[in-house]
Amino acid sequence: MNHQPGLFAVGTRDHYHLEFDLRPDVDRAALATALAGVHEARGLGSVNLVVGFGAGTWARFGDEQPDGLRPFDPIEGTDGHGVPATQHDVWVFAHGTGRDTVLHAARAIVAAMAPVATVAVDRPSFMYLDSRDLTGFIDGTANPGLDEAPEVALIPEGSPCAGGTFVIAMTWVHDLASFDALPVAEQERVFGRSKPDSVEMDDATKPANAHIARVEIDDDDGEELEIFRRSTPWGTASEHGLYFVAFSADLRRYDLMLTRMFGLGDDGVRDRLTDFSTPVTASYYFAPSADALEALIGSA
Ligand code: HEM
């Protein structure tokens, strides 16, 4: 099954994430008509699109169901840190290069969805410098390359919904005043990598609560469980953060990483990054293969 091409179209600098709540009583034909309109927005300024559905929505309108899809559950971590569950029904990721064309496409997507849904999250985001987070650290160093990304992100052939992917979408709000007040050596201990060039600390130096020490996880066979990240910074001078988005062949990997980030793993250690950034939205979506999406659109 063909995946949605927008998943792996990398290098685009202007991103836009829209999360929608479906109106009650929407039927398959009305949703399909709206999605056909969303698809047409691709032509506006050569924008790439990825469309995903919440578990409840895909259970209603998708033909085949992927193993393990469910809504995001809230996380109550240690020291009062946690993640709220703000699950919505449909997620559309538009990305290209040019804030103007991406906004133009986003407005067309909202107009196409208006008969069936209301906008719940409206989040333009952007690539910052050489792919850095607003903390100044390079984000994506350990991301799988494009040769490996499909294996990491796509449900394999032979499984239900092959070519689809599980998506996590979260809005994080940064406290940059506190983070910037740390000496650079201390900032590096928050992530476990050097600031200018993203060199990983060796195991003897890397703190147990460094971000990468929390999210580097292995399965029972010692194989690293990877995800493919496409997060980008968002915001203004006064309010800003990261829209965290990733694709995985298996939803469980996100649960394991978040458990360890919020101090609920076996060692009880909490990610120090959560002292400087707070998640305010979190949802799981399923982005079906291009064929499965077209089958839904074709039922209009
Ligand atoms: C404020 C939120 C976050 C920020 C600013 C952030 C930033 C970073 C940075 C700077 C790195 C190191 C460079 C790299 O390999 O990309 C990194 C690595 C990573 N992050 Fe995050 N991240 C955030 C949230 C998350 C979340 C919620 C997850 C998982 C659910 C996650 C999963 C990962 C993974 C898997 C790696 C690679 C680890 C490795 O194999 O070395 N991150 N992140």
Side-chain angles (χ1 to χ4, degrees), residues 31-98:
L31 177 63
T33 303
L35 292 173
V38 168
H39 237 212
E40 273 173 30
R42 275 185 311 181
L44 302 168
S46 306
V47 165
N48 303 284
L49 283 190
V50 184
V51 181
F53 302 89
T57 305
W58 191 249
R60 271 177 75 194
F61 299 112
D63 294 327
E64 198 181 21
Q65 300 298 314
D67 286 338
L69 179 62
R70 59 170 174 77
F72 191 91
D73 292 322
I75 297 173
E76 277 184 45
T78 54
D79 314 320
H81 291 264
V83 189
T86 58
Q87 183 69 53
H88 299 292
D89 299 325
V90 181
W91 163 81
V92 183
F93 171 29
H95 58 104
T97 292

Side-chain angles (χ1 to χ4, degrees), residues 218-295:
D218 293 341
D219 68 10
D220 298 341
D221 309 331
E223 277 283 304
E224 189 174 346
L225 289 174
E226 291 188 282
I227 59 176
F228 182 62
R229 289 167 289 139
R230 299 273 331 246
S231 313
T232 32
W234 62 270
T236 60
S238 46
E239 199 198 6
H240 33 242
L242 187 75
Y243 190 92
F244 182 84
V245 58
F247 307 125
S248 168
D250 164 17
L251 197 75
R252 203 179 115 254
R253 296 177 200 172
Y254 304 133
D255 290 334
L256 291 170
M257 289 178 189
L258 289 169
T259 299
R260 282 176 53 84
M261 283 182 76
F262 283 88
L264 303 173
D266 292 343
D267 56 8
V269 175
R270 181 172 53 82
D271 194 324
R272 194 167 168 209
L273 181 55
T274 60
D275 285 336
F276 304 98
S277 193
T278 306
V280 295
T281 75
S283 287
Y284 283 149
Y285 295 102
F286 170 64
S289 67
D291 295 345
L293 183 61
E294 266 162 37

